[in-house]
Amino acid sequence: MNRDDRRGKRIGIFTTVYTVVAAAALVLIASLIVTLLAFNRELQPEFTNYGDGTVSGWATIFSMIGFLGGLFGKVLIGLLVIFLIMAAVYCVVGLILNLFLRRKAAGGEPVKGVGTALGIWTMIPGALSLYELIYSLMHRAAELADVLRDGLFAALFLGGSFFLLVTLYGKEE
């Protein structure tokens, strides 16, 4: 098997795995966005004026605090939805780069440019997960689930990125 065949096979493996991971992430992100939007629609903060007596005055104050908390919750859910939309856009851009890489590799065209872009694009969530892993390990309150999650994501994304970059720039005998 010559060098170009091995490179094409490795790029095929990477693009297939990347497609599966990004598609799964998009499905999870979309379901979370739909769930949060439905929850935000059902969350209706209410304020009740109980009057100006001693007991009813305090009840009115607590009702106002609850109302403000509900409004703040709606804003936070909206911000979370915006963040999730940005994550979905990140996945879509990665899928587009992945598609370009797959087509160029199948057509025998040079793939170093788009491959490098996708390799660096894949490295971004891995670096963030590695940072979170180090942060979790530096604190005494680190839980095993956090460490495993961050370690798995860092290994998956950084490993995939290095796999692609070594495939593109590595020297073979």
Side-chain angles (χ1 to χ4, degrees), residues 146-165:
D146 293 337
V147 172
L148 290 176
R149 180 199 62 220
D150 293 334
L152 177 67
F153 285 162
L156 179 69
F157 286 105
L158 289 175
S161 176
F162 292 143
F163 176 79
L164 180 61
L165 293 174

Side-chain angles (χ1 to χ4, degrees), residues 90-167:
Y90 175 85
C91 289
V92 169
V93 169
L95 282 171
I96 291 169
L97 286 171
N98 190 37
L99 180 67
F100 285 150
L101 178 64
R102 183 182 293 237
R103 285 192 180 162
K104 283 187 173 236
E109 299 176 37
V111 295
K112 283 193 176 181
V114 71
T116 303
L118 184 59
I120 292 170
W121 196 255
T122 306
M123 199 178 287
I124 293 169
L128 292 174
S129 294
L130 184 62
Y131 170 77
E132 288 292 325
L133 175 66
I134 292 169
Y135 184 81
S136 293
L137 292 174
M138 297 296 281
H139 289 81
R140 292 181 186 208
E143 293 187 17
L144 181 62
D146 293 337
V147 172
L148 290 176
R149 180 199 62 220
D150 293 334
L152 177 67
F153 285 162
L156 179 69
F157 286 105
L158 289 175
S161 176
F162 292 143
F163 176 79
L164 180 61
L165 293 174
V166 166
T167 298

Side-chain angles (χ1 to χ4, degrees), residues 40-104:
N40 202 20
R41 188 178 321 117
E42 293 299 318
L43 182 66
Q44 298 297 330
E46 294 180 11
F47 170 71
T48 305
N49 186 355
Y50 291 101
D52 57 359
T54 303
V55 175
S56 57
W58 281 106
T60 302
I61 291 171
F62 289 134
S63 177
M64 177 56 84
I65 292 171
F67 176 75
L68 292 175
L71 288 179
F72 185 68
K74 287 181 80 67
V75 170
L76 285 181
I77 289 173
L79 290 174
L80 184 59
V81 167
I82 290 170
F83 175 75
L84 288 171
I85 289 171
M86 290 188 320
V89 168
Y90 175 85
C91 289
V92 169
V93 169
L95 282 171
I96 291 169
L97 286 171
N98 190 37
L99 180 67
F100 285 150
L101 178 64
R102 183 182 293 237
R103 285 192 180 162
K104 283 187 173 236

